[in-house]
Amino acid sequence: ANAMAAAQFYQVRRLLLQSGGPQDPLLAKAEQSLQKLSQLQPSASTNQLLLGELLERRGELESAVDAYQQAIKLGEQRLNVYERLILLLYQLNRFKEAEQYIAQLNDRSATSAGLSTLEISLALRSGGLDGALEAARRGVIQRPRDPLAFVWLGQLLSSSGKQDEAERSFRRAIEL
């Protein structure tokens, strides 16, 4: 059963990667393979992850969000899954939910350049330069070798009138 499930999983992944737009017939084949996989492993978080990808490719973003949220509830922990979910929530103007998932990742000290950028953007949207600065400082701590993290921090420090500190941050970005 495990070998069959693995084969179905890779079949769905391959079809999703090969598919084009929302009307691509390969998406229908991917959905059929995903249904077979779900029969073999009914409660696997990877099924919900694949469903999220399928729905996202079809342009059904609200449903894709539901699938990614379900995958996380079933134990999915990978950073890229959180990134996809947060980006979709952001696109759908569901900022509070996006902030909650970013907070979960910050609690686990898991972040990436993309998530850091989204977190800063969300903080600025809610009118908080202080919150954005805090997010940028966290980004520098969590990714000390990422020049973009120092550029973000420098820009926000400059916007808040802290020119000396901003200049140090920009210099550090150049050194990296």
Side-chain angles (χ1 to χ4, degrees), residues 56 61 64-65 68 84-92:
E56 194 174 346
L61 302 186
V65 163
Y68 288 133
R84 288 298 324 140
L85 174 59
I86 291 165
L87 187 60
L88 286 176
L89 289 169
Y90 195 82
Q91 288 174 349
L92 295 168

Side-chain angles (χ1 to χ4, degrees), residues 107-162:
D107 290 346
R108 290 184 6 212
S109 295
T111 191
S112 67
L115 276 179
S116 187
T117 301
L118 279 174
E119 182 180 12
I120 291 165
S121 179
L122 285 168
L124 287 171
R125 267 189 173 276
S126 24
L129 186 57
D130 289 342
L133 251 173
E134 186 181 315
R137 289 184 196 281
R138 242 190 333 272
V140 164
I141 290 167
Q142 293 171 336
R143 295 183 328 280
R145 296 184 185 274
D146 181 357
L148 186 58
F150 286 92
V151 168
W152 265 113
L153 179 59
Q155 287 176 332
L156 291 167
L157 287 166
S158 180
S159 295
S160 62
K162 300 176 181 174

